[in-house]
Amino acid sequence: MGEMGRSAENLLRASIFLPPRQDAIAPRQHEVPRSSLPDAEEAGADGAALLVTYGSQRKVMAMIQGHGEQRMWRSQDGTVVATDGARVVATAGTATNLAATRFDSADPLDDVTTLLNRPAAVRRVVDLAPATRDPNRMRFGVALECRMRAARIAEGLFVEERCGGGARFVNRYWADAETGAVWRSEQWVGMDDRPMVIEVLSPPAN
């Protein structure tokens, strides 16, 4: 992890009363350093947008920052979702925030077409923090053991991800059969019994 990534991580850890990470090698990690988010009007995004639904909330989110497959999206009310490819890896502004996601290996969701012939297992660790920042309700190092498989359907490809361990849930993804690009998903992001439904309204240009 570079100095910029470590600074962002330590900023987040300080905001939830954790000491800075000192180890020399950190796993692949994604998080939302809230104080560094640009205003949507100033971000110069390419028109990419998502429709995000969870519980009774339904929001259009514009891309405000992007670096390759890693992107940040924000709604007009300030809710933020960070994605790596099609996967939500961090949130801010929800009842329970997905503060960080760490993978032990490559995410099979990066190429869903390979799941047609070869189901995959993947392990990740997440940190969860309530919007109130109540230290008694924070959960760190929640280990998730997941299995993923794909099938062809009329709409293209359907991917199912069944997870256990620190939480039990099923994520679902719908993708283009040719490109593997995910255009709709239902993902657990730490909120009890309320998946986050994400639909691509306008994909990023790159």
Side-chain angles (χ1 to χ4, degrees), residues 6-206:
R6 186 172 297 280
S7 297
E9 178 180 0
N10 286 339
L11 175 64
L12 180 64
R13 292 174 70 83
S15 72
I16 49 180
F17 318 114
L18 286 177
R21 187 186 295 275
Q22 300 294 335
D23 55 307
I25 300 177
R28 184 182 180 190
Q29 178 149 337
H30 314 269
E31 55 207 28
V32 181
R34 297 181 64 174
S35 63
S36 68
L37 294 174
D39 291 335
E41 294 80 4
E42 301 173 355
D46 61 1
L50 305 175
L51 177 62
V52 176
T53 306
Y54 54 95
S56 61
Q57 304 290 316
R58 188 175 175 88
K59 305 175 181 183
V60 174
M61 293 192 170
M63 191 177 80
I64 59 171
Q65 194 174 98
H67 181 70
E69 291 297 310
Q70 299 179 12
R71 304 179 178 104
M72 285 191 187
W73 312 79
R74 186 168 65 182
S75 64
Q76 288 189 342
D77 68 357
T79 303
V80 174
V81 169
T83 58
D84 189 347
R87 187 178 296 280
V88 175
V89 293
T91 63
T94 53
T96 299
N97 292 323
L98 178 59
T101 299
R102 298 176 292 277
F103 280 88
D104 284 354
S105 58
D107 185 356
L109 197 59
D110 291 345
D111 185 359
V112 299
T113 59
T114 63
L115 294 170
L116 283 168
N117 299 318
R118 188 174 66 251
V122 63
R123 181 181 185 275
R124 64 183 181 275
V125 177
V126 301
D127 297 338
L128 304 171
T132 60
R133 297 187 182 180
D134 179 356
N136 295 319
R137 295 180 57 204
M138 294 179 181
R139 299 174 62 195
F140 302 104
V142 179
L144 304 173
E145 304 284 347
C146 304
R147 295 194 62 83
M148 302 180 67
R149 60 181 182 175
R152 293 190 183 277
I153 58 174
E155 296 85 354
L157 299 180
F158 173 71
V159 178
E160 181 183 77
E161 178 181 25
R162 291 187 172 271
C163 298
R168 298 184 67 85
F169 56 88
V170 179
N171 287 345
R172 300 175 178 88
Y173 310 85
W174 289 260
D176 181 271
E178 298 300 324
T179 65
V182 174
W183 50 269
R184 187 181 191 275
S185 65
E186 299 173 359
Q187 303 186 46
W188 178 85
V189 293
M191 294 181 286
D192 293 339
D193 301 321
R194 285 192 297 171
M196 179 172 281
V197 180
I198 300 167
E199 299 172 82
V200 178
L201 297 179
S202 178
N206 55 358

